[in-house]
Amino acid sequence: MVTTRWGRGIRPALVSLAVLAPLSAVAGAPSMARSVAGMQRPVVVLQAGLGDGKESWSTVFGRIAESNTVFAYDRPGYGESPVTDGSRDPCTIAAELRSALREAGLAPPYVLVGHSFGGLYQYVFAKLYPQDVAGLVLLDPTHPDHWRRMQSDAPATAALMKAMRYTVFSPAMAAEFDGQGSCLDRIDTNTPLAIPVRLLTRTQFSFVESGSFESMVHSLEDDWRRLLGAKAVQRIPGAGHYIHHDQPDAVVQELQSLIGELPARGVRIATTAASKKSAGRHSGP
């Protein structure tokens, strides 16, 4: 069973290089397992990286539920969700997530949290459905131009990635990896988001990630500021690519800080019947 994007055996060295109920609103959409807890608005929506499911959020899920409704799920092919033959581009994944939230009885606004590939998916969600999104927290996210830049700026790493795509990736991972750039021409990347954002990045890179790949990552971190309209890149001390595993306190603190800004923007923070109902049906990851 793959529990991270690369599997436990190769995660320490290569973890960030690719950077893991029927849905009636999307025709032919797959069934996906979900976990919901908490009773407070706004709803915090967790999106994991390539190869990861809702279990990836176990370090922060319960703590977020103490103050907010929190939603996590397994994308098709991960965890308890069956694989699908449908498109795995970021726009499709964003549409599936939106339908899953509605199926769970969770109304917007949402605070989206995404890690790695999940950061790309949450960014696309915020661009496609801005009326649904109150805030965005990205953890070492995969940039929209990540794969193209890797091939030009870090070709040795790109060659390794191609080999891993055919030898290590599960079918679900390969489909998402292949679809990462699809549909992005539909996204306006020139206009920054007009919502509170947090951009959290790591400070620790493995030996094989040093050099051209690390330089490329830092360059793309700076461009994320432009895409998001973020005031700063918040580099988290002592954190590798899995920031929510290495420094969960920092993630929860930044999320709570962002949520604290929302009342001044007219976002209501209150208990909802829908959240109570969902919390009673589902448990944490």
Short mmCIF file of all heavy atoms in Angstrom, two decimals, residues 21 34-38 71 100-106 273-284:
data_model
loop_
_atom_site.label_atom_id
_atom_site.label_comp_id
_atom_site.label_asym_id
_atom_site.label_seq_id
_atom_site.Cartn_x
_atom_site.Cartn_y
_atom_site.Cartn_z
N ALA A 21 -18.92 8.22 -1.44
CA ALA A 21 -20.37 8.55 -1.70
C ALA A 21 -20.54 8.93 -3.15
O ALA A 21 -19.76 9.71 -3.69
CB ALA A 21 -20.88 9.68 -0.83
N ARG A 34 -14.41 9.68 2.48
CA ARG A 34 -14.17 10.98 3.10
C ARG A 34 -14.26 10.87 4.61
O ARG A 34 -14.85 9.94 5.15
CB ARG A 34 -15.19 12.01 2.60
CG ARG A 34 -16.63 11.69 2.98
CD ARG A 34 -17.60 12.73 2.43
NE ARG A 34 -18.96 12.48 2.87
CZ ARG A 34 -19.98 12.18 2.08
NH1 ARG A 34 -19.77 12.07 0.77
NH2 ARG A 34 -21.18 12.00 2.57
N SER A 35 -13.67 11.85 5.29
CA SER A 35 -13.76 11.99 6.74
C SER A 35 -14.12 13.43 7.04
O SER A 35 -13.54 14.36 6.47
CB SER A 35 -12.44 11.64 7.41
OG SER A 35 -12.11 10.28 7.23
N VAL A 36 -15.09 13.61 7.94
CA VAL A 36 -15.53 14.95 8.34
C VAL A 36 -15.67 14.98 9.85
O VAL A 36 -16.16 14.03 10.45
CB VAL A 36 -16.89 15.31 7.68
CG1 VAL A 36 -17.27 16.75 8.03
CG2 VAL A 36 -16.84 15.13 6.18
N ALA A 37 -15.23 16.06 10.47
CA ALA A 37 -15.37 16.22 11.92
C ALA A 37 -15.48 17.71 12.23
O ALA A 37 -15.12 18.56 11.43
CB ALA A 37 -14.19 15.59 12.65
N GLY A 38 -15.98 18.02 13.43
CA GLY A 38 -16.09 19.41 13.85
C GLY A 38 -17.43 20.02 13.50
O GLY A 38 -18.21 19.46 12.73
N PHE A 71 -12.66 18.63 6.57
CA PHE A 71 -13.00 17.62 5.58
C PHE A 71 -11.71 17.13 4.93
O PHE A 71 -10.86 17.93 4.51
CB PHE A 71 -13.91 18.24 4.52
CG PHE A 71 -14.22 17.36 3.33
CD1 PHE A 71 -15.42 16.67 3.26
CD2 PHE A 71 -13.32 17.23 2.27
CE1 PHE A 71 -15.72 15.88 2.16
CE2 PHE A 71 -13.60 16.43 1.18
CZ PHE A 71 -14.81 15.76 1.13
N ALA A 100 -18.07 16.59 -3.95
CA ALA A 100 -17.96 15.80 -2.72
C ALA A 100 -18.36 16.63 -1.51
O ALA A 100 -19.03 16.13 -0.59
CB ALA A 100 -16.54 15.27 -2.56
N LEU A 101 -17.98 17.89 -1.49
CA LEU A 101 -18.34 18.76 -0.38
C LEU A 101 -19.85 18.97 -0.32
O LEU A 101 -20.46 18.96 0.76
CB LEU A 101 -17.62 20.10 -0.51
CG LEU A 101 -16.11 20.05 -0.27
CD1 LEU A 101 -15.44 21.32 -0.79
CD2 LEU A 101 -15.81 19.86 1.21
N ARG A 102 -20.47 19.13 -1.46
CA ARG A 102 -21.92 19.31 -1.49
C ARG A 102 -22.64 18.03 -1.10
O ARG A 102 -23.66 18.07 -0.41
CB ARG A 102 -22.34 19.79 -2.88
CG ARG A 102 -21.81 21.19 -3.21
CD ARG A 102 -22.29 21.70 -4.55
NE ARG A 102 -21.85 23.07 -4.77
CZ ARG A 102 -22.23 23.82 -5.79
NH1 ARG A 102 -23.06 23.31 -6.70
NH2 ARG A 102 -21.80 25.07 -5.91
N GLU A 103 -22.10 16.90 -1.55
CA GLU A 103 -22.70 15.61 -1.16
C GLU A 103 -22.62 15.41 0.35
O GLU A 103 -23.49 14.79 0.96
CB GLU A 103 -21.97 14.46 -1.87
CG GLU A 103 -22.31 14.32 -3.34
CD GLU A 103 -23.68 13.70 -3.57
OE1 GLU A 103 -24.13 12.93 -2.72
OE2 GLU A 103 -24.29 14.01 -4.61
N ALA A 104 -21.58 15.95 0.97
CA ALA A 104 -21.39 15.83 2.42
C ALA A 104 -22.25 16.83 3.19
O ALA A 104 -22.25 16.82 4.42
CB ALA A 104 -19.92 16.01 2.78
N GLY A 105 -22.96 17.70 2.48
CA GLY A 105 -23.79 18.69 3.14
C GLY A 105 -23.01 19.86 3.69
O GLY A 105 -23.46 20.55 4.61
N LEU A 106 -21.83 20.12 3.14
CA LEU A 106 -20.96 21.18 3.63
C LEU A 106 -20.99 22.36 2.66
O LEU A 106 -20.46 22.27 1.55
CB LEU A 106 -19.53 20.66 3.79
CG LEU A 106 -19.37 19.49 4.77
CD1 LEU A 106 -17.95 18.96 4.72
CD2 LEU A 106 -19.72 19.93 6.19
N ALA A 273 -25.80 23.56 11.26
CA ALA A 273 -26.48 22.27 11.35
C ALA A 273 -25.88 21.26 10.40
O ALA A 273 -25.74 20.07 10.72
CB ALA A 273 -27.97 22.46 11.05
N ALA A 274 -25.49 21.71 9.21
CA ALA A 274 -24.90 20.79 8.24
C ALA A 274 -23.62 20.18 8.77
O ALA A 274 -23.35 19.00 8.62
CB ALA A 274 -24.63 21.52 6.92
N SER A 275 -22.80 21.03 9.44
CA SER A 275 -21.56 20.51 9.99
C SER A 275 -21.82 19.51 11.09
O SER A 275 -21.14 18.50 11.22
CB SER A 275 -20.72 21.68 10.53
OG SER A 275 -20.34 22.54 9.47
N LYS A 276 -22.83 19.77 11.96
CA LYS A 276 -23.16 18.84 13.01
C LYS A 276 -23.57 17.49 12.43
O LYS A 276 -23.15 16.44 12.88
CB LYS A 276 -24.29 19.40 13.85
CG LYS A 276 -23.90 20.57 14.74
CD LYS A 276 -25.09 21.04 15.55
CE LYS A 276 -24.72 22.21 16.45
NZ LYS A 276 -25.90 22.68 17.23
N LYS A 277 -24.39 17.54 11.40
CA LYS A 277 -24.88 16.31 10.79
C LYS A 277 -23.73 15.52 10.19
O LYS A 277 -23.62 14.31 10.37
CB LYS A 277 -25.91 16.64 9.70
CG LYS A 277 -26.53 15.42 9.05
CD LYS A 277 -27.57 15.87 8.03
CE LYS A 277 -28.21 14.67 7.34
NZ LYS A 277 -29.19 15.08 6.30
N SER A 278 -22.82 16.24 9.48
CA SER A 278 -21.70 15.55 8.85
C SER A 278 -20.75 14.99 9.89
O SER A 278 -20.23 13.88 9.74
CB SER A 278 -20.96 16.53 7.94
OG SER A 278 -21.79 16.93 6.88
N ALA A 279 -20.52 15.75 10.97
CA ALA A 279 -19.60 15.28 12.00
C ALA A 279 -20.12 14.01 12.65
O ALA A 279 -19.35 13.15 13.06
CB ALA A 279 -19.40 16.37 13.05
N GLY A 280 -21.43 13.86 12.72
CA GLY A 280 -22.00 12.66 13.31
C GLY A 280 -21.90 11.45 12.43
O GLY A 280 -21.96 10.32 12.90
N ARG A 281 -21.74 11.66 11.11
CA ARG A 281 -21.70 10.53 10.18
C ARG A 281 -20.30 10.01 9.95
O ARG A 281 -20.12 8.87 9.54
CB ARG A 281 -22.28 10.97 8.82
CG ARG A 281 -23.77 11.18 8.81
CD ARG A 281 -24.28 11.12 7.39
NE ARG A 281 -23.56 11.99 6.49
CZ ARG A 281 -23.96 13.22 6.15
NH1 ARG A 281 -25.06 13.71 6.68
NH2 ARG A 281 -23.28 13.95 5.30
N HIS A 282 -19.29 10.83 10.14
CA HIS A 282 -17.94 10.47 9.71
C HIS A 282 -16.95 10.65 10.85
O HIS A 282 -17.17 11.42 11.76
CB HIS A 282 -17.52 11.33 8.51
CG HIS A 282 -18.51 11.29 7.39
ND1 HIS A 282 -18.66 10.20 6.59
CD2 HIS A 282 -19.41 12.20 6.97
CE1 HIS A 282 -19.61 10.43 5.70
NE2 HIS A 282 -20.07 11.64 5.90
N SER A 283 -15.87 9.96 10.75
CA SER A 283 -14.79 10.08 11.73
C SER A 283 -13.53 10.58 11.06
O SER A 283 -13.45 10.68 9.85
CB SER A 283 -14.53 8.72 12.38
OG SER A 283 -14.17 7.76 11.40
N GLY A 284 -12.52 10.85 11.87
CA GLY A 284 -11.27 11.38 11.33
C GLY A 284 -10.48 10.31 10.63
O GLY A 284 -10.77 9.11 10.70
#
